[in-house]
Amino acid sequence: MSNQNTDAAAAFAKLQEQARKDWALLREKPLILIGAATCGRAAGALSLLEEVRNELAELKMDAHVLEVGCMGHCYAEPIMIIYNEGFPPICYGYVTEGVGARIVRDFLTEGDPGIEFALAALEPNDMFPTFADFPRGIHENKIVLEQCGLIDPQNIDHYIATGGYTALTKALEMTPGEIITAIKESGLRGRGGAGFPTGVKWQTCLSAAGTTKYVICNADEGDPGAFMDRTILESNPHLMIEGLAIAARAVGAAKGYVYIRAEYPLAVERVALAIEQARGKGLLGASILGSDYSLDIEIFQGSGAFVCGEESALIASMEGEPGIPRHRPPFPAQAGLWGKPTVINNVKSLSYVPHIIKNGAAWFTGIGSEKNPGTAIFALAGKIVNTGLAEVPMSTTLNELINEVGSGIAEGKKFKAVQIGGPSGGCLPESAMDTPIDFDSLTQAGAMMGSGGMVVLDEDDCMVEIARFFLDFTQQESCGKCTFCRLGTKHMLDILERITKGQGKPEDIDTLTELASKVKAGSLCSLGKTAPNPVLSTIKYFREEYEAHINEGRCPAKMCKDLIAYYILPDKCERSCDACVGSCPVEAIHDNEDRIKVIDQEKCVKCDSCVVACPPQYKAVVKLSPPHLVEEKDKEYREGKQKWQKQ
């Protein structure tokens, strides 16, 4: 360790001291934070920002208003946090138009905190419950998400003031071998999906021949229902940058890249600003903090191909070639970008690194389980009450994550399955809800950890259609290099489409299973090897639904359009109500001779508008499967009418 690297700590101490002074000044006046990551903006956060600023101007109130990221409670967006003297910081949810101005006015001028709008307090107090007092808070253990939604992602000093770049400074005083040993001892496994030991990958790159090496952050998040990486980059981009810088220091790389899909414009913008600010502080560039180590980082925007999430395909696209996976070995850590040893890690994997270096490997192994230490970050989507991000210790069960952290199934419906691990993951039923969340247990159950996408399904979801949907995605995203992946997934998709249309054959289930095994065995990359997982897992756990489609032409969940018909129950239809008539886009609903609404099945496009429009006190519109049940219902109605007339 050189004297230069020792002096780096002193240089950083000055940066940190000033950042903490500026951070403390924020609390000398009321401080208002508004979550304005993509999820917040979609819910109206930018309008809320303008509303709050206008209200403060009207009140002539001096307060700080900051645009922050997402703290994970996406279901409650727009979210606003207020720090006001004499009160704990309070987090407000569902802050719609007019509500934000009212909260600010009442709280800052009259001392009324507006508890009816509050989600929870952020710090222990004698006034209000905190998030830790709710089931979600009991299970959550925020490491990567700790500062998300609480600091301004566009201000590097906020990150530094809350402990950021301390780990990089420490790493400058360590040898590459010491850094890698710490990562190995922590047991950190790649959070991009494969779960490969991060320290082993770094050691391979360090030991590889040559002096030119690269590090790449893989932020090509393409799973349907996944938004973990995007949120981290929008809410706390410096955490990933610090992790990438430590990885570069460990393997001897002087150049790093952040590979982000262009469909994430806000993430690209905030990462670009963060890199610029880090250079300005001497935390990137030549002689970092005056040390003997130099590193520069650039952004590379991907064009959105799902297959480019695979390491070798990502590298190919960066080299100007089609994003097609390459044969391995050699692995990227041996010969990657432009043939040079290259470490590629996911956003989440890199975001754990600063915490491990700062707190030690033993701290990290004390969380989670022995073979799966640390936490896992999941994007909760689908038919769940509390959608958003959640970070829980490895070994937390699916039941705890879905029913306690996510507050269960929305609209009082019954849980049916959870699709976990992205489009290449598996669908697990209620009987698997006690499965621990870790790489090994989920794989054994027929799913996979993946990058952390989780789609919760309820009783209205058809598992055959779900399998078809995800296979359609992976089939379209196949690069086409491997015959088994290119043609095998297409044959499987054709069979699934026939089944969902009631044209399946009894032998189709066995054919799907056989094709799946061939695609898995004959595909080069993980996209092809895992593409059949949704099909295999749904056949394993929901075979009866496949059989109902094939043998009875019936969709038990009443989801497959070709196997359902809409019907208005005569005994429940309110004759004076025309809600369904007005909602039908094709004018398929009319009155019969008894002024009961009926649906012309030839015209009906099965858009669901009539079901939505029918007042809840009537619930007169139902779906029937198979479609011929309409004739039986009509016959029952006519026979009942004749019987009544005779009486």
Side-chain angles (χ1 to χ4, degrees), residues 196-313:
F196 188 79
T198 303
V200 173
K201 180 184 288 188
W202 290 13
Q203 182 66 63
T204 302
C205 186
L206 177 64
S207 302
T211 56
T212 301
K213 298 177 182 180
Y214 299 103
V215 289
I216 300 174
C217 172
N218 182 352
D220 190 61
E221 183 177 54
D223 294 6
F227 46 91
M228 305 78 59
D229 293 355
R230 186 198 73 208
T231 300
I232 294 167
L233 297 179
E234 292 176 354
S235 306
N236 193 5
H238 287 283
L239 182 60
M240 176 277 296
I241 291 172
E242 184 177 11
L244 188 61
I246 294 171
R249 167 71 174 166
V251 303
K255 186 72 175 182
Y257 295 91
V258 183
Y259 188 105
I260 312 179
R261 55 181 42 234
E263 294 94 332
Y264 283 179
L266 184 59
V268 172
E269 175 188 323
R270 291 188 172 173
V271 171
L273 177 60
I275 291 172
E276 181 183 339
Q277 290 178 339
R279 285 198 196 107
K281 295 283 187 181
L283 294 161
L284 286 178
S287 300
I288 293 174
L289 293 173
S291 71
D292 60 2
Y293 181 64
S294 301
L295 170 71
D296 201 12
I297 296 175
E298 290 183 16
I299 291 175
F300 184 97
Q301 294 189 52
S303 58
F306 179 67
V307 73
C308 285
E310 195 275 337
E311 292 182 348
S312 62

Side-chain angles (χ1 to χ4, degrees), residues 541-552:
Y541 293 115
F542 301 95
R543 189 184 183 96
E544 70 280 0
E545 290 201 25
Y546 282 84
E547 293 171 343
H549 283 70
I550 294 169
N551 300 329
E552 305 171 41

Side-chain angles (χ1 to χ4, degrees), residues 30-237:
L31 173 61
I32 302 172
L33 310 179
I34 294 176
T38 295
C39 54
R41 292 184 177 205
L46 296 183
S47 297
L48 175 60
L49 267 167
E50 183 179 4
E51 178 182 314
V52 167
R53 285 170 176 155
N54 290 340
E55 183 67 20
L56 290 170
E58 186 176 324
L59 294 171
K60 297 180 180 179
M61 176 75 65
D62 190 13
H64 294 291
V65 181
L66 299 180
E67 183 179 334
V68 297
C70 170
M71 62 188 305
H73 297 266
C74 306
Y75 63 92
E77 296 284 3
I79 282 177
M80 179 171 69
I81 298 170
I82 297 181
Y83 293 78
N84 192 19
E85 188 176 359
F87 293 86
I90 300 175
C91 178
Y92 300 90
Y94 312 100
V95 188
T96 51
E97 185 177 354
V99 174
R102 174 183 168 183
I103 294 172
V104 168
R105 181 175 60 252
D106 292 349
F107 197 5
L108 300 188
T109 63
E110 301 176 16
D112 177 4
I115 297 305
E116 63 270 30
F117 302 110
L119 292 178
L122 299 186
E123 298 173 359
N125 65 93
D126 296 327
M127 302 180 187
F128 316 110
T130 66
F131 282 115
D133 295 317
F134 296 97
R136 176 177 182 135
I138 292 172
H139 292 287
E140 277 201 299
N141 184 355
K142 290 189 176 183
I143 297 175
V144 171
L145 301 182
E146 182 182 14
Q147 298 299 336
C148 292
L150 301 179
I151 61 174
D152 182 354
Q154 301 174 94
N155 189 330
I156 189 174
D157 286 334
H158 288 196
Y159 181 67
I160 293 173
T162 53
Y165 287 111
T166 302
L168 175 59
T169 307
K170 182 178 179 181
L172 291 174
E173 299 178 352
M174 301 168 68
T175 65
E178 289 172 337
I179 297 172
I180 291 175
T181 295
I183 299 302
K184 281 184 176 179
E185 291 179 351
S186 74
L188 176 64
R189 298 173 66 173
R191 296 307 199 259
F196 188 79
T198 303
V200 173
K201 180 184 288 188
W202 290 13
Q203 182 66 63
T204 302
C205 186
L206 177 64
S207 302
T211 56
T212 301
K213 298 177 182 180
Y214 299 103
V215 289
I216 300 174
C217 172
N218 182 352
D220 190 61
E221 183 177 54
D223 294 6
F227 46 91
M228 305 78 59
D229 293 355
R230 186 198 73 208
T231 300
I232 294 167
L233 297 179
E234 292 176 354
S235 306
N236 193 5

Side-chain angles (χ1 to χ4, degrees), residues 76 112-113 115 298 372 374 381 400 449 470 501 532 579 612 637 641:
D112 177 4
I115 297 305
E298 290 183 16
N372 294 268
E400 290 167 336
M449 176 75 76
F470 282 110
K501 292 177 180 179
V612 175
Y637 169 69
K641 178 182 176 182

